[in-house]
Amino acid sequence: MLLLEVISGERLAKPERGKMRVHKISNVNKALDFIASKGVKLVSIGAEEIVDGNVKMTLGMIWTIILRFAIQDISVEETSAKEGLLLWCQRKTAPYKNVNIQNFHISWKDGLGFCALIHRHRPELIDYGKLRKDDPLTNLNTAFDVAEKYLDIPKMLDAEDIVGTARPDEKAIMTYVSSFYHAFSGAQKAETAANRICKVLAVNQENEQLMEDYEKLASDLLEWIRRTIPWLENRAPENTMQAMQQKLEDFRDYRRLHKPPKVQEKCQLEINFNTLQTKLRLSNRPAFMPSEGKMVSDINNAWGGLEQAEKGYEEWLLNEIRRLERLDHLAEKFRQKASIHESWTDGKEAMLQQKDYETATLSEIKALLKKHEAFESDLAAHQDRVEQIAAIAQELNELDYYDSPSVNARCQKICDQWDNLGALTQKRREALERTEKLLETIDQLYLEYAKRAAPFNNWMEGAMEDLQDTFIVHTIEEIQGLTTAHEQFKATLPDADKERQAILGIHNEVSKIVQTYHVNMAGTNPYTTITPQEINGKWEHVRQLVPRRDQALMEEHARQQQNERLRKQFGAQANVIGPWIQTKMEEIGRISIEMHGTLEDQLNHLRQYEKSIVNYKPKIDQLEGDHQQIQEALIFDNKHTNYTMEHIRVGWEQLLTTIARTINEVENQILTRDAKGISQEQMNEFRASFNHFDRKKTGMMDCEDFRACLISMGYNMGEAEFARIMSIVDPNRMGVVTFQAFIDFMSRETADTDTADQVMASFKILAGDKNYITVDELRRELPPDQAEYCIARMAPYNGRDAVPGALDYMSFSTALYGESDL
């Protein structure tokens, strides 16, 4: 009882003076009750065992007293007792070589730990440089003797016992080390001050590094956007399909390889900016203002310009490919029709300019006239082809075909020749009609043959032209239309064959008459140049072209079926992925405003969502592959879905950005809660108040809702005070208050933070109450890197009491919190 009164400084109950066992047990119980009243739990220690001299119980009780009154009150950075004492020893001995304090037994065997503690606080008592790790007895005895002589610490331990024991007694060493802690506790105040300064400087250094990282990342991203936009805005067309397809392939590489990393950089830039601003607010620093043109809004505007140019570039590429495809088809069609027409007109001008009717007989004149009539029929039949050639040339001009000059020259030549043929035809008819009055004989069979052979020959030429005509279709319906037309054409072949046989029958009748009546003929039909052999040859050619056309249509039909399968495959996936992205966006929005569990639970929930979203990426890649197949197949529309790949890409990028931003907001809320000491209940209360007054459920309160929220929480304020509060929570004057700004405001209202005055007071403690601090004092009390940080930024002290090397810590403390220039 006397021991407890001495070490606690309190009076105990009056002891029993009797010598009987019951009196002794009563006194011991009074001592045990006093120990229990100090919050110490006594396990298996009873008064009877103490009175009976149980050595184990007695030593246990003595250790409990030592632990409670000599060690338990030790506290270092919110730790206590054994952990706090160990942390104190580790920090004090950290600068000393060969000292590594990890426990209270073998770490002290070489004696250097005790010597380091004494030298750290009283360097004049021990020459630490002369101590050797391989001489533990000398080290231990030196420490024990110095502590007993100069520090009034009793010699509780025996050096030989410590060295000779494999594992020294932990409780004994802890008790002895606690004596050093109490002996040097006067230096604890300076250490706390130094720790406060270190903490403030570390925050400032970290923030400066974050600012430099943001500026570099923003500059790199803006420079990439600046280089990319002119490339996307280049609309210089190419003349060939191959060149345009190469441009399209380059654009796909940009979409697939170059842009995705930049999307990640942009997202990381926003996260870094928000984290930096949160840390600055939590440490009462001014908000970070990036360099001109490098704000997040500036980057978002530049990114919007990039995406706008990207969208226009893709549309332009597809339109150019369609245009070139159309131009190639039209140019080939023009060349084919022009070649057929030029082949037909070859020699016609010379024929029309002949003067053979001047020396012809009557029968020959009649023959020449009928032949001319047949030629006029043929000429009229070719009028449509000439008009088609001119129309195709006009369309090529309107579509800006690169070889338009040569097309126009050839078309003009055909038109001029056609006009000349018309004039020559009219002139020859007039000459024949003048001569006809003198001639009467005509061969009706030849005339009938010529009249029927010419249109039939023209029909066969048209059929051959149609059967060899190239076609371009984009849907199954179009190829089915061509197939139907082709089937209709084949249905006319039997009638055409009858007409062919009828025409050949006329020629056979002529041959029969010549043979029967021995008519002297030149052997050719004077009214036409079309021979039966030519008709049979062209007819055989038509028959050969029909199955080729069938095969071409079948192949195109198969290709269109494959294209339709690609459309359905893409549509099926897009109709699933599109709504999935929208659903995830809505679920993330609900998580960010609902209160289910702690912030850590919400963060874990969001990260699980983020993992599920990232795991969904292969389906996006699969859809990209299907989209690439569609583009390679030159498919330009899809009736099976309203979603385009651009919609999916934009939705996917927005989903990734939203989940990352939401996770960052929750992390900042956790950072705010932990830094400000806000409990989970307070955080839930803040969230409930915010959600209640967020009437539009947008995750933000307008000014009137925020005012109503403050009034409901007991704030009584006028317009000026409310305007001051709005300038804090809405520095950009957007007219809304986010949940993060609301939490920052409420945490400042309910929590304590470091201020410039507190930092200034800490420097004053390190300086020994002087108005200045020296370089040596900074290097002695602070870690090397932070001491040099202060020395490089502190201005010289110019007061009357200044000494050489004196530094002004007052202005430095003010500058740390943005109240002056650092």
Side-chain angles (χ1 to χ4, degrees), residues 585-598:
M585 291 285 287
E586 294 172 357
E587 290 176 354
I588 293 170
R590 287 199 299 272
I591 293 174
S592 64
I593 64 174
E594 292 176 354
M595 294 185 300
H596 295 307
T598 64

Side-chain angles (χ1 to χ4, degrees), residues 328-338 388-389 392 465 469-470:
D328 289 345
H329 174 68
L330 288 175
E332 180 61 26
K333 193 171 184 178
F334 174 85
R335 288 189 289 269
Q336 187 178 41
K337 288 184 176 294
Q388 290 174 7
I389 291 172
I392 292 173
E465 180 180 344
D469 188 18
T470 58

Side-chain angles (χ1 to χ4, degrees), residues 12-290:
L12 272 70
K14 186 176 181 181
E16 298 287 343
R17 296 300 179 183
K19 300 298 184 179
M20 299 177 64
R21 175 180 172 82
V22 66
H23 297 141
K24 296 178 181 180
I25 292 175
S26 175
N27 289 336
V28 173
N29 277 327
K30 290 178 181 180
L32 295 178
D33 292 339
F34 178 80
I35 295 174
S37 69
K38 296 302 179 180
V40 179
K41 294 182 179 180
L42 297 172
V43 180
S44 301
I45 299 178
E48 291 81 2
E49 287 84 357
I50 304 299
V51 172
D52 293 338
N54 187 318
V55 176
K56 183 176 181 180
M57 292 295 179
T58 303
L59 290 176
M61 182 184 69
I62 295 301
W63 171 245
T64 301
I65 293 172
I66 293 172
L67 189 62
R68 170 60 183 85
F69 294 99
I71 298 177
Q72 184 171 322
D73 292 334
I74 297 175
S75 177
V76 178
E77 289 191 2
E78 299 182 359
T79 63
S80 61
K82 180 179 179 180
E83 292 80 11
L85 183 59
L86 183 62
L87 179 60
W88 178 79
C89 294
Q90 290 172 341
R91 289 191 172 179
K92 291 301 181 180
T93 61
Y96 294 89
K97 64 179 180 179
N98 296 328
V99 178
N100 183 20
I101 304 302
Q102 298 297 327
N103 48 57
F104 286 106
H105 36 83
I106 61 175
S107 294
W108 302 87
K109 285 190 66 174
D110 57 9
L112 292 179
F114 296 109
C115 294
L117 286 177
I118 296 172
H119 185 268
R120 178 63 183 269
H121 296 90
R122 297 288 299 276
E124 74 279 1
L125 297 180
I126 292 179
D127 188 356
Y128 188 85
K130 294 183 178 180
L131 300 177
R132 293 185 297 111
K133 185 176 180 65
D134 58 355
D135 191 6
L137 281 175
T138 301
N139 299 340
L140 289 167
N141 286 323
T142 299
F144 294 163
D145 294 338
V146 169
E148 184 177 34
K149 183 176 181 180
Y150 297 101
L151 303 178
D152 295 327
I153 297 175
K155 191 174 181 181
M156 304 179 188
L157 305 173
D158 184 79
E160 287 74 12
D161 289 345
I162 294 176
V163 173
T165 304
R167 190 177 188 275
D169 183 76
E170 185 180 51
K171 296 179 180 178
I173 291 183
M174 190 185 304
T175 303
Y176 188 61
V177 171
S178 68
S179 300
F180 284 87
Y181 176 88
H182 292 297
F184 298 135
S185 61
Q188 188 66 26
K189 187 177 181 181
E191 180 181 357
T192 303
N195 289 338
R196 181 184 294 274
I197 293 173
C198 291
K199 178 182 176 183
V200 171
L201 295 179
V203 170
N204 214 60
Q205 288 172 315
E206 182 181 5
N207 291 342
E208 288 181 358
Q209 185 61 45
L210 287 174
M211 293 176 189
E212 293 176 3
D213 294 343
Y214 175 88
E215 290 285 336
K216 184 178 184 307
L217 190 57
S219 299
D220 294 343
L221 186 58
L222 288 171
E223 176 61 19
W224 178 81
I225 294 174
R226 184 190 65 78
R227 294 195 312 269
T228 305
I229 287 180
W231 174 66
L232 293 174
E233 291 178 344
N234 182 14
R235 299 295 191 272
E238 299 292 343
N239 293 331
T240 64
M241 177 71 76
Q242 182 179 4
M244 286 306 298
Q245 287 177 339
Q246 181 59 46
K247 279 194 172 185
L248 182 60
E249 186 63 29
D250 294 341
F251 182 71
R252 289 173 183 159
D253 289 342
Y254 156 79
R255 275 274 185 79
R256 185 173 60 254
L257 302 177
H258 304 301
K259 184 181 177 185
K262 298 303 178 182
V263 173
Q264 295 296 327
E265 290 180 12
K266 177 176 175 293
C267 180
Q268 187 62 44
L269 189 73
E270 295 179 3
I271 291 174
N272 291 349
F273 182 83
N274 293 335
T275 301
L276 175 59
Q277 297 294 42
T278 300
K279 289 186 176 181
L280 290 174
R281 286 196 300 271
L282 294 177
S283 57
N284 286 338
R285 268 60 166 190
F288 170 58
M289 183 62 64

Side-chain angles (χ1 to χ4, degrees), residues 236-249 316-329 331 335 399-403 634:
E238 299 292 343
N239 293 331
T240 64
M241 177 71 76
Q242 182 179 4
M244 286 306 298
Q245 287 177 339
Q246 181 59 46
K247 279 194 172 185
L248 182 60
E249 186 63 29
W316 174 77
L317 280 176
L318 295 176
N319 289 335
E320 277 298 302
I321 289 175
R322 293 190 189 101
R323 185 181 70 85
L324 288 175
E325 183 182 29
R326 175 66 176 165
L327 283 175
D328 289 345
H329 174 68
R335 288 189 289 269
L399 293 176
D400 196 21
Y401 182 56
Y402 77 98
D403 199 22
L634 300 178

